[in-house]
Amino acid sequence: MKEAWWEKAVVYQVYPKSFKDTNGDGIGDLKGIIDSLDYIKDLGVNTLWLNPIFISPQIDNGYDISNYYAIDEIFGGLEDIETLIHEAHKRDIKILLDLVLNHTSDQHPWFQEALRGKANIYRDYYLWADEKADGVAPNNWESFFGGSVWEKEEKSNQYYFHLFAKKMPDLNWKNPEVKRAMVEIAKFWLDKGVDGFRLDAFIHMIKDDFNKDVPNVPAGEIAIAEEYYANLPEVKRYLSEFISEIKEVKPDCFILGEAASATPELADSYIREDLCQTVISFDHFAERIIEQDERIPKGLEKRTLDAPEMKQKLKKWQHSLSEGKLPTLYWNNHDMPRVVSRFGDDTQYRDKSAKALALSMYLLRGIPVILYGEEIGMKNLEIRDIELFQSPQATSQYIQLLENGLKKEQALRRIASVNKEASRGVMQWDASEFAGFSTKANWIGENREMFYNVAVESQDEMSVLAFYKQLIQLKSEDLFTFGEVIFLETTDNILAYKRQYNQEEALVLVNLTGEEVVAPAWLDSYSDWILKMDSEDVIGKTVAPYTYKLYIKKDEE
Ligand code: NOJ
């Protein structure tokens, strides 16, 4: 059987607002991405995933869409996306758009129509329920963005459902018209030449009976209710109907599903010809608290990688998907802090930890998804003003930290370290005043870097950028695509695995942490293998922090 193109996909995720601004408004745009295609090609990646670019009030940076058929003017126009697709294809780069099918913006004409009243034909595009008792929401389910999932609509005295922000009402997928409308949207973009979609939050498409309450929650309080609005068995049925229609027009359309809470077992069931080709799950990350301070509330503690736990998870993801199914391999995205700050060490070992973590992940079996800027070792954005945090919890956390005695800067630093906004800083193109991103101050805050930027790193063959290029190049080899993965026994903080394909073999060995650890006894038996990537640490009895090595077995002939 001919292999599918995505088996060798290396995805580069671009957050368009933060990539490159060409019209001087401080916000990245499509022309900026077009201008950067040679850079992207040179990285060696072959697939580009763009976070949402459609018309949107930008309540959630584009995940609240009010018109799926047009480009938001902050990014450009239809002709720009057409050019981008064309220019990307000229360079053999595939384009994935971010398709939001669980909800729309409240400004979408469907919702505006639905608001006209119960008799409107668009009413049933959304999810409505009556109050439980006078002034009491239909149930006690909590929204992911804080507060109840229910918002009262005064005119009809009914409530509408929103899993995310209030201004992002959820669609009713049990209404066949919703599927029909979404299929039309998907076909419109496929017709423009896109190669697939990243499917936002698809695991939430179907909700349970609204009469159910989360048990054991005190009256008047709310609770996250994943069991009622995530991964319900019927999701597969509705998704399959949607995907099957899309595949009729484009059989090799690539569906990268966002299944944040999927375990490997669940992911396995979502990876199917008529569902997703692979999924993005948050399950493989493991963290541990490294500093106890009673002034810091739960969730804001200083954390780092829990290497032993993460190793177990990676093993499970590598070994429990059925034959032929691929996991995604990733360290960060726009919903979580950046890898070098979160799991590496962005001060003492910035280069080394960025490289070590990349090597440990991307030569495993699966599809790498690299967040823009990760390849230059970009660290978390420092956010200096509480107003700039979008998450509704940030302000209450801030107030609490100040009350607990933290200084303003300390409080902001703590909040930024766990916040998704920290990953969304602008791309560091050069060391000039506005980082080569724009000609003026940008929309999210300055993160100018004198050394960790494209211009400087392109001139340095030891840079993080050079390392990523080499790694992506290696990933395209059959050994690292099709080879068997064999994990080797090591002390807790070291990840070591072999890849084997026909006569070829490679061994990856990485100390995932900033601690010196005991060296594996078996290492001597690889002494005649060739060192292909090397942090240049001598491994004796111990392995230095963030040591990384890639050994390749010598050709027998
Ligand atoms: C997942 C996206 O990655 C996130 O950024 C967004 O807020 C939610 N889905 C809602 O669309």
Side-chain angles (χ1 to χ4, degrees), residues 60 63 100 103 145 164 168 198 200-201 258 334-335 420 424:
D60 185 19
Y63 282 98
V100 183
H103 49 267
F145 280 15
F164 298 93
M168 294 155 73
R198 180 257 188 195
D200 185 67
E258 190 215 13
H334 66 291
D335 285 332
K420 58 188 182 185
R424 300 175 181 179

Side-chain angles (χ1 to χ4, degrees), residues 158 191 227 319 358 385 435-436 494:
Q158 278 199 310
D191 199 43
E227 64 272 43
H319 292 321
D385 183 353
I494 294 182

Side-chain angles (χ1 to χ4, degrees), residues 365-426:
R365 193 168 160 277
I367 301 177
V369 184
I370 297 167
L371 177 65
Y372 78 99
E374 181 189 325
E375 77 278 15
I376 50 170
M378 235 168 93
K379 62 178 183 179
N380 275 348
L381 176 66
E382 281 171 36
I383 304 181
R384 298 184 185 92
D385 183 353
I386 192 64
E387 301 289 314
L388 290 169
F389 288 96
Q390 283 207 332
S391 77
Q393 295 90 345
T395 311
S396 49
Q397 287 171 337
Y398 183 64
I399 295 169
Q400 193 180 351
L401 287 174
L402 294 187
E403 279 174 6
N404 291 359
L406 263 74
K407 295 207 175 67
K408 187 178 158 213
E409 294 68 37
Q410 292 172 311
L412 287 173
R413 216 175 307 125
R414 254 337 43 246
I415 296 169
S417 71
V418 298
N419 216 276
K420 58 188 182 185
E421 267 94 348
S423 67
R424 300 175 181 179
V426 304

Side-chain angles (χ1 to χ4, degrees), residues 446-516:
E446 300 308 318
N447 51 332
R448 186 173 165 209
E449 292 270 9
M450 301 315 283
F451 303 110
Y452 289 88
N453 62 56
V454 173
V456 169
E457 293 188 43
S458 306
Q459 303 303 315
D460 175 5
E461 55 184 35
M462 301 304 284
S463 66
V464 180
L465 178 61
F467 186 88
Y468 262 77
K469 284 190 198 172
Q470 200 192 346
L471 193 57
I472 294 167
Q473 173 69 36
L474 282 165
K475 179 67 188 170
S476 69
E477 292 179 8
D478 285 349
L479 172 62
F480 296 109
T481 306
F482 306 114
E484 193 188 339
V485 179
I486 302 154
F487 287 96
L488 303 181
E489 273 308 309
T490 60
T491 43
D492 281 353
N493 292 350
I494 294 182
L495 180 72
Y497 59 87
K498 280 208 269 188
R499 301 283 326 243
Q500 278 181 349
Y501 185 68
N502 296 335
Q503 301 312 309
E504 293 177 79
E505 269 186 87
L507 167 70
V508 170
L509 181 143
V510 174
N511 180 352
L512 296 168
T513 71
E515 290 156 31
E516 185 161 295

